[in-house]
Amino acid sequence: MKTIPITVTSVSSEHRGYLFLSKTVCNQLGIRPGQHEIQCGGVHLSVRVAYPMHENSSICTFSPDVIESLALLEDSRLFLYKTGEMLRIGPVFAIFANVRVKNGEIAGQQGPIFEHLLSLATEERMFAYVFGPQDVTSNKLQGYILHKANGRRQWDLRSVPFPDVVYDQIITRKFENRPDVKAVKQQLLKRLGAAYFNPGFFDKAQVHQWLSARDETKGYLPATILHEDVKRTAVFLERYNPVYLKPINGSKGIGIIKLMRLADGHFFYQIKGKQGIPVQGVQKSPAEVLRKLQPRMKKRAFLAQEGLQLKTYQGRPFDIRVLVQKDETGAWKRTKMFCRIAQAGDITSNLSTGGDALAVAKVLREIYPNPEQTRRILRKIRKLVGTVPTVLEEVSGQQYGEIGLDIGIDTKGWVWIIEVNSKPWKKPFTEQGSMKLVLQSFRRPLLYGKYLAGIT
């Protein structure tokens, strides 16, 4: 398929229903002047193609009524291409999210992320916008676009075409479970299918079941059971020490409970709270500690997971976070990999609750003086990175564009899958790492979006 980079312009309003294309562009598309169908995202209409007065293969000139009907922006840099007999302009890339607006600007922690994505989308010649469920009605779709005005970037809410591709950036389960969000999401999935990517959060128990079903991944999983009754989980606590009780729909490590059998046979528990302040105590037996925790655990489902004897860095627990994303060819690629070092005394290594990020090579060199040990572990990690995303898609039947993979290394040098995250958090800046990798982590979802839209 021939894709032609163009700039959208308009012509005098005395022309209606026209699209002016150079003779060179018409030849590249294999079309002649006359009536043609054109589509921008979900909007299509009939236009009369004609040659302009001056040959310019980089300009795509519309009559104002066509620009308005297609919801295009003057001076947009997009692609013109052809699918079958249909002329296409785009691609149209939408971000579905919980959009919070204050004084006409998108606010909240995702504001800088959306700005980063849409700025890069302009570089990639994409028509990109952000929208929430409140922006969708039965006959109209609105979205927030980013444009420059008076030397600064501004958000503008306007009518937009239905997208070619949707990138799900809903980051809380509470918002995702709202009825209006579910309704819009089902509408988008029904219409777009695989072009709607990262459709939801992972359920930890479901992920464990998916990865346990395949020989290439099941050997890297800690022993895990779903907490369904005290008796069964008490047996699990007697067998493994320590044990982590994790909310199956939790995030950022909040709500995780660490259980540890002490030398005198008592059981110590520690709970990670929302403010990072631990709640802890001691009970005489597994059954007693589970009964003590029952009021907290009955509110949502938990799984019990074997606590691994992991290597530490300077006496602090750590894991390895790997961001894996699809690229412009639709293939999984590793984008970033770094060690997350927990705060002293913390039971998880989440950066959002105070952990530190360090280069994997630096940490491994310090804990493994023998370079061959480091190389062996890195080979195992690369193997998992190349396997887990593919297995998840094959077994789940769902489409993803990126995942976060948390990997642990035990004291014997074995590599373990600790957790898989379908909504990895990406910061638009870095204090210690490579800004080049930060930009790549934001650009790859856009490149994958172009791939889904048929632009390669």
Side-chain angles (χ1 to χ4, degrees), residues 22-188:
S22 70
K23 190 173 184 179
T24 300
V25 169
C26 287
N27 288 339
Q28 287 176 319
L29 294 170
I31 64 173
R32 297 176 63 83
Q35 209 69 23
H36 293 273
E37 295 292 312
I38 189 166
Q39 181 171 340
C40 179
V43 181
H44 73 273
L45 68 155
S46 181
V47 294
R48 179 166 290 281
V49 174
Y51 294 144
M53 290 182 63
H54 304 287
E55 175 84 4
N56 189 332
S57 59
S58 66
I59 300 296
C60 183
T61 304
F62 294 92
S63 56
D65 62 304
V66 175
I67 283 187
E68 183 178 355
S69 296
L70 294 176
L72 289 169
L73 291 170
E74 186 90 13
D75 297 323
S76 294
R77 295 164 62 249
L78 303 170
F79 289 99
L80 181 66
Y81 53 109
K82 190 179 173 189
T83 305
E85 296 302 312
M86 178 73 73
L87 293 177
R88 301 281 300 275
I89 189 165
V92 181
F93 183 94
I95 300 166
F96 186 45
N98 180 5
V99 183
R100 299 177 181 178
V101 180
K102 185 177 181 180
N103 300 325
E105 296 289 309
I106 292 183
Q109 61 180 336
Q110 284 187 287
I113 289 171
F114 298 150
E115 185 173 335
H116 225 57
L117 283 166
L118 266 59
S119 297
L120 290 171
T122 300
E123 294 180 16
E124 293 295 333
R125 293 183 171 271
M126 304 175 82
F127 186 147
Y129 58 86
V130 183
F131 75 110
Q134 70 279 2
D135 302 315
V136 183
T137 62
S138 58
N139 59 358
K140 188 169 70 172
L141 174 61
Q142 290 187 303
Y144 286 88
I145 64 164
L146 192 64
H147 68 100
K148 279 189 176 180
N150 301 320
R152 61 186 290 267
R153 288 181 176 139
Q154 289 182 275
W155 291 102
D156 183 24
L157 181 64
R158 69 186 300 273
S159 294
V160 289
F162 192 88
D164 295 310
V165 178
V166 168
Y167 178 29
D168 187 319
Q169 280 291 275
I170 294 171
I171 59 169
T172 68
R173 287 180 170 86
K174 182 178 179 180
F175 184 77
E176 184 179 68
N177 288 327
R178 278 176 28 176
D180 59 332
V181 176
K182 286 183 176 181
V184 171
K185 187 173 172 180
Q186 286 306 310
Q187 176 189 342
L188 294 167

Side-chain angles (χ1 to χ4, degrees), residues 193 220 349 436:
Y220 298 92
S349 56
K436 181 180 177 181

Side-chain angles (χ1 to χ4, degrees), residues 4 49 55 100 150 152 165 167-168 183 188 191 203 251 256 278 307 310 332 338 340 370 427 448 450 454:
I4 303 164
V49 174
E55 175 84 4
R100 299 177 181 178
N150 301 320
R152 61 186 290 267
V165 178
Y167 178 29
D168 187 319
L188 294 167
R191 188 161 172 180
D203 169 325
S251 61
I256 289 179
L310 296 177
W332 285 105
F338 55 92
R340 302 189 304 174
N370 184 345
K427 289 184 178 180
Y448 180 52
K450 290 170 79 170

